[in-house]
Amino acid sequence: MHRRFKPQTVLEASDASPTLAGLVARARDASERLKAVETLIPADMRAAVKAGPAEEDVWCLLVQGSAAAAKLRQLTPALVTRLNAKGWNVSSIRIKVQARH
């Protein structure tokens, strides 16, 4: 007995699953936050910075390399100010250095 499943997009599947819908919303929020502060990050560093999750008033940025993380830590006050001006309630940004593969 073979079942045929109708292929679904991620958005269609997320509409049918509250858990998946929550994950999609969190990913979209993180992406929008990064877009809001992107111009504050030096152009040559942008590829090394990825949006991480937000929990309450703390947002996480994932960074490749300790040098980029150090520079990003210097920019944190400006990033927080920009995010708050754009309507997000952010009190701090956590920087996590990702290991290179």
Coordinates of all heavy atoms in Angstrom, one line a residue:
M1 N 0.8 -1.2 0.0 CA 0.0 0.0 0.0 C 0.9 1.2 0.0 O 1.7 1.4 0.9 CB -0.9 -0.1 1.3 CG -1.6 1.2 1.5 SD -3.0 1.0 2.7 CE -2.2 0.6 4.2
H2 N 0.8 2.1 -1.0 CA 1.6 3.3 -1.1 C 0.7 4.5 -0.9 O -0.4 4.6 -1.5 CB 2.2 3.4 -2.6 CG 3.2 2.3 -2.8 ND1 4.4 2.3 -2.3 CD2 3.1 1.2 -3.6 CE1 5.1 1.3 -2.7 NE2 4.3 0.6 -3.5
R3 N 1.2 5.4 -0.1 CA 0.5 6.6 0.2 C 1.1 7.7 -0.7 O 2.3 7.8 -0.8 CB 0.5 7.0 1.6 CG -0.2 6.1 2.5 CD -0.2 6.7 3.9 NE -0.7 5.7 4.8 CZ -0.7 5.9 6.1 NH1 -0.4 7.1 6.6 NH2 -1.2 5.0 6.9
R4 N 0.3 8.5 -1.2 CA 0.8 9.7 -1.9 C 0.6 10.9 -1.1 O -0.5 11.2 -0.6 CB 0.0 9.9 -3.2 CG 0.3 8.8 -4.2 CD 1.2 9.3 -5.2 NE 1.7 8.3 -6.1 CZ 2.3 8.6 -7.2 NH1 2.4 9.8 -7.6 NH2 2.9 7.6 -7.9
F5 N 1.7 11.6 -0.9 CA 1.6 12.9 -0.1 C 1.8 14.0 -1.0 O 2.6 14.0 -1.9 CB 2.7 12.9 1.0 CG 2.6 11.9 2.0 CD1 3.3 10.7 2.0 CD2 1.7 12.1 3.1 CE1 3.1 9.8 3.0 CE2 1.5 11.2 4.1 CZ 2.2 10.0 4.1
K6 N 1.0 15.0 -0.8 CA 1.1 16.2 -1.6 C 2.3 17.0 -1.1 O 2.3 17.3 0.1 CB -0.2 17.0 -1.5 CG -0.2 18.3 -2.3 CD -1.5 19.1 -2.0 CE -1.3 20.5 -2.6 NZ -1.3 21.5 -1.6
P7 N 3.2 17.4 -1.9 CA 4.3 18.2 -1.5 C 3.8 19.5 -0.9 O 2.9 20.1 -1.5 CB 5.2 18.4 -2.7 CG 4.7 17.4 -3.7 CD 3.3 17.1 -3.4
Q8 N 4.5 20.0 0.1 CA 4.1 21.3 0.7 C 5.4 22.2 0.8 O 6.5 21.7 1.0 CB 3.6 21.1 2.2 CG 2.3 20.4 2.2 CD 1.8 20.3 3.7 OE1 2.6 20.2 4.6 NE2 0.5 20.5 3.9
T9 N 5.1 23.4 0.8 CA 6.2 24.4 1.1 C 6.4 24.5 2.6 O 5.5 24.0 3.3 CB 5.9 25.8 0.5 OG1 4.8 26.3 1.2 CG2 5.6 25.8 -1.0
V10 N 7.5 25.0 3.0 CA 7.7 25.2 4.4 C 6.6 26.1 5.0 O 6.1 25.8 6.1 CB 9.1 25.8 4.7 CG1 9.2 26.2 6.2 CG2 10.1 24.9 4.3
L11 N 6.2 27.1 4.3 CA 5.1 28.0 4.8 C 3.8 27.3 5.0 O 3.0 27.4 5.9 CB 5.0 29.2 3.9 CG 6.1 30.2 4.0 CD1 5.9 31.3 3.0 CD2 6.3 30.7 5.4
E12 N 3.4 26.4 4.0 CA 2.2 25.6 4.1 C 2.3 24.7 5.3 O 1.3 24.5 6.0 CB 2.0 24.8 2.8 CG 1.6 25.7 1.6 CD 1.6 24.9 0.3 OE1 2.2 23.8 0.2 OE2 0.9 25.4 -0.6
A13 N 3.4 24.0 5.5 CA 3.6 23.1 6.6 C 3.5 23.8 7.9 O 3.0 23.3 8.9 CB 4.9 22.3 6.5
S14 N 4.1 25.0 8.0 CA 4.1 25.8 9.2 C 2.7 26.2 9.6 O 2.3 26.4 10.8 CB 5.0 27.0 9.2 OG 4.5 28.0 8.3
D15 N 1.8 26.5 8.6 CA 0.4 26.9 8.9 C -0.3 25.7 9.5 O -1.2 25.9 10.3 CB -0.3 27.2 7.6 CG 0.2 28.6 7.0 OD1 0.7 29.4 7.8 OD2 -0.1 28.9 5.8
A16 N 0.1 24.5 9.2 CA -0.6 23.3 9.8 C 0.0 22.9 11.1 O -0.6 22.0 11.8 CB -0.5 22.1 8.8
S17 N 1.1 23.4 11.5 CA 1.8 23.0 12.8 C 2.2 24.2 13.6 O 3.0 25.0 13.2 CB 3.1 22.2 12.4 OG 3.9 22.1 13.6
P18 N 1.5 24.4 14.8 CA 1.9 25.5 15.6 C 3.3 25.6 16.0 O 3.9 26.6 16.1 CB 1.0 25.3 16.9 CG -0.1 24.4 16.4 CD 0.4 23.6 15.3
T19 N 3.9 24.4 16.3 CA 5.4 24.4 16.6 C 6.2 24.9 15.5 O 7.1 25.7 15.7 CB 5.8 22.9 17.0 OG1 4.9 22.5 18.1 CG2 7.2 22.9 17.4
L20 N 6.0 24.4 14.3 CA 6.8 24.8 13.2 C 6.5 26.3 12.9 O 7.4 27.0 12.5 CB 6.4 23.9 11.9 CG 7.3 24.1 10.7 CD1 8.8 24.0 11.0 CD2 6.9 23.1 9.6
A21 N 5.3 26.7 13.0 CA 4.9 28.1 12.8 C 5.7 29.0 13.8 O 6.2 30.1 13.4 CB 3.4 28.4 13.0
G22 N 5.9 28.6 15.0 CA 6.7 29.3 16.0 C 8.1 29.4 15.6 O 8.8 30.5 15.7
L23 N 8.7 28.3 15.1 CA 10.1 28.3 14.7 C 10.3 29.2 13.5 O 11.3 30.0 13.4 CB 10.5 26.9 14.3 CG 10.7 25.9 15.5 CD1 11.0 24.5 15.0 CD2 11.8 26.4 16.4
V24 N 9.4 29.2 12.5 CA 9.5 30.0 11.3 C 9.4 31.5 11.7 O 10.2 32.3 11.3 CB 8.4 29.7 10.3 CG1 8.3 30.7 9.2 CG2 8.6 28.3 9.7
A25 N 8.5 31.8 12.7 CA 8.4 33.2 13.1 C 9.6 33.7 13.8 O 10.1 34.8 13.6 CB 7.2 33.3 14.1
R26 N 10.2 32.8 14.7 CA 11.5 33.2 15.3 C 12.6 33.4 14.4 O 13.4 34.3 14.5 CB 11.9 32.1 16.4 CG 10.9 32.1 17.6 CD 11.3 31.1 18.6 NE 12.6 31.6 19.2 CZ 13.2 30.9 20.2 NH1 12.7 29.8 20.6 NH2 14.3 31.4 20.7
A27 N 12.7 32.5 13.3 CA 13.8 32.7 12.3 C 13.6 34.0 11.5 O 14.5 34.7 11.2 CB 13.7 31.5 11.4
R28 N 12.3 34.3 11.2 CA 12.0 35.5 10.5 C 12.4 36.7 11.3 O 13.0 37.7 10.8 CB 10.5 35.5 10.1 CG 10.2 36.7 9.2 CD 8.7 36.7 8.8 NE 8.4 35.5 8.0 CZ 7.5 34.7 8.3 NH1 6.7 34.9 9.3 NH2 7.3 33.6 7.5
D29 N 12.1 36.7 12.6 CA 12.4 37.8 13.5 C 13.9 38.0 13.6 O 14.4 39.1 13.5 CB 11.8 37.5 14.9 CG 12.2 38.6 15.9 OD1 11.7 39.8 15.7 OD2 12.9 38.3 16.8
A30 N 14.6 36.9 13.7 CA 16.1 37.0 13.8 C 16.7 37.6 12.5 O 17.6 38.5 12.6 CB 16.7 35.7 14.1
S31 N 16.1 37.2 11.4 CA 16.6 37.7 10.1 C 16.3 39.2 10.0 O 17.1 39.9 9.5 CB 16.0 36.9 9.0 OG 16.3 37.4 7.7
E32 N 15.1 39.6 10.4 CA 14.7 41.0 10.3 C 15.6 41.9 11.2 O 16.0 43.0 10.9 CB 13.3 41.2 10.6 CG 12.4 40.6 9.5 CD 10.9 40.6 9.9 OE1 10.6 41.0 11.1 OE2 10.1 40.2 9.1
R33 N 15.9 41.4 12.4 CA 16.8 42.1 13.3 C 18.2 42.3 12.6 O 18.8 43.4 12.7 CB 17.0 41.3 14.6 CG 15.8 41.4 15.5 CD 16.0 40.5 16.7 NE 14.8 40.3 17.4 CZ 14.6 40.6 18.7 NH1 15.6 41.0 19.4 NH2 13.5 40.4 19.3
L34 N 18.7 41.2 12.0 CA 20.0 41.4 11.4 C 20.0 42.4 10.2 O 20.9 43.2 10.1 CB 20.5 40.0 10.9 CG 22.0 40.0 10.3 CD1 23.0 40.5 11.3 CD2 22.3 38.6 9.9
K35 N 18.9 42.3 9.5 CA 18.8 43.3 8.4 C 18.8 44.7 8.9 O 19.3 45.7 8.3 CB 17.5 43.0 7.6 CG 17.7 41.9 6.6 CD 16.4 41.6 5.8 CE 16.5 40.4 5.0 NZ 15.2 40.0 4.4
A36 N 18.1 44.9 10.1 CA 18.0 46.3 10.7 C 19.4 46.8 11.1 O 19.5 48.1 11.1 CB 17.0 46.2 11.9
V37 N 20.3 46.0 11.5 CA 21.6 46.5 11.9 C 22.7 46.3 11.0 O 23.9 46.6 11.2 CB 22.0 45.8 13.3 CG1 20.9 46.2 14.4 CG2 22.2 44.3 13.2
E38 N 22.4 45.6 9.8 CA 23.5 45.3 8.9 C 24.4 46.4 8.5 O 25.6 46.2 8.3 CB 22.8 44.7 7.6 CG 23.7 44.0 6.6 CD 22.8 43.4 5.6 OE1 22.0 44.1 5.0 OE2 23.1 42.2 5.3
T39 N 23.8 47.6 8.3 CA 24.6 48.7 7.8 C 25.6 49.2 8.9 O 26.5 49.9 8.6 CB 23.7 49.9 7.4 OG1 22.9 50.3 8.5 CG2 22.9 49.5 6.2
L40 N 25.4 48.8 10.1 CA 26.3 49.2 11.2 C 27.5 48.3 11.3 O 28.5 48.6 11.9 CB 25.6 49.2 12.6 CG 24.4 50.2 12.7 CD1 23.7 50.0 14.1 CD2 24.9 51.6 12.6
I41 N 27.4 47.1 10.6 CA 28.5 46.1 10.6 C 29.4 46.4 9.4 O 28.9 46.5 8.3 CB 27.9 44.7 10.6 CG1 27.0 44.4 11.8 CG2 29.0 43.7 10.5 CD1 26.2 43.2 11.7
P42 N 30.7 46.5 9.6 CA 31.6 46.7 8.4 C 31.3 45.7 7.3 O 31.1 44.5 7.6 CB 33.0 46.5 9.0 CG 32.8 46.8 10.5 CD 31.5 46.3 10.9
A43 N 31.3 46.1 6.1 CA 31.0 45.3 5.0 C 31.8 44.0 4.9 O 31.3 43.0 4.5 CB 31.1 46.1 3.7
D44 N 33.1 44.1 5.2 CA 33.9 42.9 5.1 C 33.7 41.9 6.2 O 34.1 40.8 6.1 CB 35.4 43.3 5.0 CG 35.9 44.1 6.2 OD1 35.0 44.7 6.9 OD2 37.1 44.1 6.5
M45 N 32.9 42.3 7.2 CA 32.6 41.4 8.3 C 31.2 40.7 8.2 O 30.9 39.8 8.9 CB 32.6 42.1 9.7 CG 33.9 42.2 10.3 SD 33.7 43.1 11.9 CE 32.3 42.3 12.7
R46 N 30.3 41.3 7.4 CA 28.9 40.9 7.3 C 28.7 39.4 7.0 O 27.9 38.8 7.6 CB 28.2 41.7 6.3 CG 28.0 43.1 6.7 CD 27.3 44.0 5.7 NE 27.4 45.4 6.1 CZ 27.3 46.4 5.3 NH1 27.0 46.2 4.0 NH2 27.4 47.6 5.8
A47 N 29.6 38.8 6.2 CA 29.4 37.4 5.8 C 29.8 36.5 7.0 O 29.3 35.4 7.1 CB 30.3 37.1 4.7
A48 N 30.5 37.0 8.0 CA 30.9 36.2 9.2 C 29.8 36.3 10.3 O 30.0 35.6 11.3 CB 32.2 36.7 9.7
V49 N 28.8 37.1 10.1 CA 27.8 37.3 11.2 C 26.5 36.7 10.7 O 26.0 37.0 9.6 CB 27.6 38.8 11.4 CG1 26.6 39.0 12.5 CG2 28.9 39.5 11.8
K50 N 25.9 35.9 11.6 CA 24.6 35.2 11.4 C 23.7 35.6 12.5 O 24.1 35.7 13.7 CB 24.8 33.7 11.3 CG 25.7 33.2 10.3 CD 25.2 33.4 8.9 CE 26.2 32.9 7.9 NZ 26.5 33.8 6.8
A51 N 22.4 35.7 12.2 CA 21.4 36.0 13.2 C 21.1 34.7 14.0 O 21.0 33.6 13.5 CB 20.1 36.4 12.5
G52 N 21.1 34.9 15.3 CA 20.8 33.8 16.3 C 19.4 34.1 16.9 O 18.7 35.1 16.6
P53 N 19.1 33.3 17.9 CA 17.7 33.5 18.5 C 17.7 34.6 19.5 O 18.7 35.1 20.0 CB 17.6 32.1 19.3 CG 19.0 31.7 19.6 CD 19.8 32.2 18.4
A54 N 16.4 35.1 19.7 CA 16.2 36.1 20.6 C 15.4 35.5 21.8 O 14.4 34.7 21.5 CB 15.4 37.3 20.0
E55 N 15.7 35.8 23.0 CA 15.0 35.3 24.2 C 14.8 36.5 25.1 O 15.7 37.1 25.6 CB 15.8 34.2 24.9 CG 15.9 33.0 24.0 CD 16.7 31.9 24.7 OE1 16.9 32.0 26.0 OE2 17.1 30.9 24.1
E56 N 13.5 36.9 25.2 CA 13.1 38.0 25.9 C 13.8 39.3 25.4 O 13.6 39.6 24.2 CB 13.3 37.8 27.4 CG 12.4 36.7 28.0 CD 12.6 36.5 29.5 OE1 13.1 37.4 30.2 OE2 12.1 35.4 29.9
D57 N 14.6 39.9 26.2 CA 15.3 41.2 25.7 C 16.8 41.0 25.3 O 17.5 41.9 25.2 CB 15.1 42.3 26.7 CG 15.8 42.0 28.0 OD1 16.1 40.8 28.3 OD2 16.0 42.9 28.9
V58 N 17.2 39.7 25.1 CA 18.5 39.4 24.8 C 18.5 38.7 23.4 O 17.8 37.8 23.1 CB 19.2 38.4 25.8 CG1 20.6 38.1 25.3 CG2 19.2 39.1 27.2
W59 N 19.4 39.2 22.5 CA 19.5 38.7 21.1 C 20.9 38.1 21.0 O 21.8 38.7 21.5 CB 19.2 39.8 20.1 CG 19.2 39.3 18.7 CD1 18.7 38.1 18.2 CD2 19.8 40.0 17.6 NE1 18.9 38.0 16.8 CE2 19.6 39.2 16.4 CE3 20.4 41.2 17.4 CZ2 20.0 39.5 15.1 CZ3 20.8 41.6 16.1 CH2 20.6 40.8 15.0
C60 N 21.0 37.0 20.3 CA 22.2 36.4 20.1 C 22.7 36.5 18.6 O 21.9 36.3 17.7 CB 22.1 34.9 20.4 SG 23.6 33.9 20.2
L61 N 24.0 36.8 18.4 CA 24.6 36.9 17.1 C 25.7 35.8 17.1 O 26.4 35.6 18.0 CB 25.2 38.2 16.8 CG 24.2 39.3 16.5 CD1 25.0 40.7 16.4 CD2 23.5 39.0 15.2
L62 N 25.7 35.0 16.0 CA 26.7 34.0 15.8 C 27.7 34.5 14.8 O 27.4 35.1 13.8 CB 26.0 32.8 15.2 CG 24.7 32.3 15.9 CD1 24.0 31.2 15.1 CD2 25.1 31.8 17.3
V63 N 29.0 34.4 15.3 CA 30.1 35.0 14.5 C 31.2 34.0 14.2 O 31.5 33.2 15.1 CB 30.7 36.2 15.3 CG1 31.7 37.0 14.5 CG2 29.6 37.2 15.8
Q64 N 31.8 34.1 13.0 CA 32.9 33.2 12.7 C 34.2 34.0 13.0 O 34.4 35.0 12.4 CB 32.9 32.9 11.2 CG 31.7 32.0 10.9 CD 31.7 31.7 9.4 OE1 32.5 32.3 8.6 NE2 30.8 30.8 9.0
G65 N 34.9 33.5 14.0 CA 36.2 34.1 14.3 C 36.2 35.0 15.5 O 35.3 35.8 15.6
S66 N 37.2 34.9 16.3 CA 37.3 35.7 17.5 C 37.6 37.2 17.2 O 37.1 38.1 17.9 CB 38.3 35.2 18.4 OG 39.6 35.1 17.8
A67 N 38.3 37.5 16.1 CA 38.6 38.9 15.7 C 37.3 39.6 15.3 O 37.0 40.7 15.8 CB 39.6 39.0 14.6
A68 N 36.4 38.9 14.6 CA 35.1 39.5 14.2 C 34.2 39.7 15.4 O 33.5 40.7 15.6 CB 34.4 38.6 13.1
A69 N 34.3 38.7 16.3 CA 33.5 38.8 17.6 C 34.0 40.0 18.4 O 33.1 40.7 19.0 CB 33.7 37.5 18.4
A70 N 35.3 40.2 18.5 CA 35.8 41.4 19.3 C 35.3 42.7 18.7 O 34.9 43.6 19.4 CB 37.3 41.3 19.3
K71 N 35.3 42.8 17.4 CA 34.9 44.0 16.7 C 33.4 44.2 16.9 O 32.9 45.3 17.2 CB 35.2 44.0 15.2 CG 34.7 45.2 14.4 CD 35.4 46.5 14.9 CE 34.9 47.7 14.1 NZ 35.4 48.9 14.6
L72 N 32.6 43.1 16.8 CA 31.2 43.2 17.0 C 30.8 43.6 18.4 O 29.9 44.3 18.6 CB 30.6 41.8 16.7 CG 29.1 41.8 16.2 CD1 28.9 42.7 15.1 CD2 28.7 40.4 15.8
R73 N 31.6 43.1 19.4 CA 31.4 43.5 20.8 C 31.5 45.0 21.0 O 30.8 45.7 21.7 CB 32.3 42.8 21.7 CG 31.9 41.4 22.0 CD 32.7 40.7 23.0 NE 32.4 39.3 23.1 CZ 32.9 38.3 22.5 NH1 34.0 38.5 21.7 NH2 32.5 37.0 22.6
Q74 N 32.4 45.6 20.2 CA 32.6 47.1 20.3 C 31.4 47.8 19.7 O 31.0 48.9 20.1 CB 33.8 47.5 19.5 CG 35.1 47.1 20.1 CD 36.3 47.4 19.2 OE1 36.2 47.7 18.1 NE2 37.5 47.3 19.8
L75 N 30.7 47.2 18.7 CA 29.6 47.7 18.0 C 28.3 47.5 18.8 O 27.2 48.1 18.4 CB 29.4 47.2 16.6 CG 30.6 47.5 15.7 CD1 30.4 46.7 14.4 CD2 30.7 49.0 15.4
T76 N 28.3 46.7 19.8 CA 27.0 46.3 20.5 C 26.2 47.4 20.9 O 25.0 47.4 20.7 CB 27.4 45.3 21.7 OG1 28.0 44.1 21.1 CG2 26.1 44.9 22.4
P77 N 26.7 48.5 21.6 CA 25.8 49.6 22.0 C 25.1 50.2 20.8 O 23.9 50.5 20.9 CB 26.8 50.6 22.6 CG 28.0 49.8 23.1 CD 28.1 48.7 22.0
A78 N 25.7 50.4 19.7 CA 25.1 51.0 18.5 C 24.0 50.0 18.0 O 22.9 50.4 17.5 CB 26.1 51.3 17.4
L79 N 24.3 48.7 18.0 CA 23.3 47.7 17.5 C 22.1 47.7 18.4 O 21.0 47.7 17.9 CB 24.0 46.3 17.5 CG 25.2 46.1 16.6 CD1 25.7 44.7 16.8 CD2 24.9 46.4 15.2
V80 N 22.3 47.8 19.7 CA 21.1 47.8 20.6 C 20.3 49.0 20.4 O 19.1 49.0 20.4 CB 21.6 47.7 22.1 CG1 20.5 48.0 23.1 CG2 22.2 46.3 22.4
T81 N 21.0 50.2 20.3 CA 20.3 51.4 20.0 C 19.4 51.4 18.8 O 18.3 51.8 18.7 CB 21.3 52.6 20.0 OG1 22.0 52.7 21.2 CG2 20.6 53.9 19.7
R82 N 20.0 50.8 17.7 CA 19.3 50.7 16.4 C 18.1 49.8 16.5 O 17.0 50.1 16.1 CB 20.2 50.2 15.3 CG 19.6 49.8 14.0 CD 19.2 50.9 13.1 NE 20.3 51.8 12.7 CZ 21.1 51.7 11.7 NH1 21.0 50.7 10.9 NH2 22.0 52.6 11.5
L83 N 18.3 48.7 17.2 CA 17.1 47.7 17.3 C 16.0 48.3 18.2 O 14.8 48.2 17.8 CB 17.6 46.4 18.0 CG 18.5 45.5 17.1 CD1 19.2 44.5 17.9 CD2 17.7 44.9 16.0
N84 N 16.3 49.0 19.2 CA 15.3 49.7 20.0 C 14.6 50.7 19.2 O 13.4 50.9 19.3 CB 15.9 50.2 21.3 CG 16.2 49.1 22.3 OD1 15.3 48.2 22.6 ND2 17.3 49.1 22.9
A85 N 15.3 51.5 18.4 CA 14.7 52.5 17.6 C 13.8 51.9 16.6 O 12.8 52.6 16.2 CB 15.8 53.3 16.9
K86 N 14.1 50.7 16.1 CA 13.2 50.0 15.1 C 12.0 49.3 15.8 O 11.3 48.6 15.1 CB 14.0 49.0 14.3 CG 15.1 49.7 13.5 CD 14.6 50.2 12.2 CE 15.7 50.8 11.3 NZ 15.2 51.2 10.0
G87 N 11.9 49.3 17.1 CA 10.8 48.7 17.8 C 11.0 47.4 18.5 O 10.1 46.9 19.1
W88 N 12.2 46.9 18.5 CA 12.5 45.7 19.3 C 13.0 46.1 20.7 O 13.7 47.1 20.8 CB 13.6 44.9 18.6 CG 13.2 44.1 17.4 CD1 12.5 42.9 17.4 CD2 13.4 44.4 16.0 NE1 12.3 42.5 16.1 CE2 12.9 43.4 15.3 CE3 14.1 45.4 15.4 CZ2 12.9 43.4 13.9 CZ3 14.1 45.4 14.0 CH2 13.5 44.4 13.3
N89 N 12.6 45.3 21.6 CA 13.0 45.6 23.0 C 14.2 44.7 23.3 O 14.1 43.6 23.7 CB 11.8 45.2 24.0 CG 12.2 45.5 25.4 OD1 13.1 46.3 25.7 ND2 11.7 44.7 26.3
V90 N 15.4 45.3 23.1 CA 16.7 44.6 23.3 C 17.5 45.4 24.3 O 17.8 46.6 24.2 CB 17.4 44.5 22.0 CG1 18.8 43.9 22.2 CG2 16.6 43.8 20.9
S91 N 17.9 44.6 25.4 CA 18.7 45.3 26.4 C 20.2 44.9 26.2 O 21.1 45.6 26.6 CB 18.3 44.9 27.8 OG 18.5 43.5 28.0
S92 N 20.4 43.7 25.6 CA 21.8 43.3 25.3 C 21.9 42.3 24.2 O 20.9 41.7 23.8 CB 22.4 42.7 26.6 OG 21.8 41.5 26.9
I93 N 23.1 42.2 23.6 CA 23.3 41.2 22.5 C 24.4 40.3 23.0 O 25.5 40.8 23.5 CB 23.7 42.0 21.2 CG1 22.6 42.8 20.8 CG2 24.2 41.0 20.2 CD1 22.9 43.7 19.5
R94 N 24.2 39.0 22.9 CA 25.1 38.0 23.2 C 25.9 37.6 21.9 O 25.2 37.4 20.9 CB 24.4 36.8 23.8 CG 25.3 35.9 24.6 CD 24.5 34.9 25.4 NE 23.8 34.0 24.5 CZ 22.6 33.7 24.5 NH1 21.8 34.2 25.4 NH2 22.1 32.8 23.7
I95 N 27.2 37.6 22.0 CA 28.0 37.2 20.8 C 28.5 35.8 21.1 O 29.2 35.6 22.1 CB 29.2 38.2 20.6 CG1 28.7 39.6 20.6 CG2 30.0 37.8 19.4 CD1 27.9 40.1 19.5
K96 N 28.3 34.9 20.1 CA 28.8 33.5 20.2 C 29.7 33.3 19.0 O 29.3 33.5 17.9 CB 27.7 32.5 20.2 CG 26.9 32.4 21.5 CD 26.0 31.2 21.5 CE 25.4 31.0 22.9 NZ 24.6 29.8 22.9
V97 N 30.9 32.8 19.3 CA 31.9 32.5 18.3 C 31.6 31.1 17.8 O 31.6 30.2 18.7 CB 33.3 32.7 18.7 CG1 34.3 32.3 17.6 CG2 33.6 34.1 19.2
Q98 N 31.4 30.9 16.5 CA 31.2 29.6 16.0 C 32.5 29.0 15.6 O 33.4 29.7 15.0 CB 30.3 29.6 14.8 CG 28.9 30.0 15.1 CD 28.0 29.8 13.9 OE1 28.3 30.4 12.8 NE2 26.9 29.1 14.0
A99 N 32.7 27.7 15.8 CA 33.9 27.0 15.4 C 33.9 26.8 13.9 O 32.8 26.6 13.3 CB 34.0 25.6 16.1
R100 N 35.0 26.9 13.3 CA 35.1 26.7 11.9 C 35.1 25.2 11.6 O 35.7 24.4 12.3 CB 36.4 27.4 11.3 CG 36.3 28.9 11.4 CD 37.5 29.5 10.8 NE 37.4 30.9 11.2 CZ 37.5 31.9 10.3 NH1 37.7 31.6 9.0 NH2 37.5 33.1 10.7
H101 N 34.5 24.8 10.5 CA 34.4 23.4 10.1 C 35.6 23.0 9.2 O 36.0 23.6 8.3 CB 33.1 23.1 9.4 CG 31.9 23.4 10.3 ND1 31.4 22.5 11.2 CD2 31.2 24.5 10.5 CE1 30.4 23.0 11.8 NE2 30.3 24.3 11.5

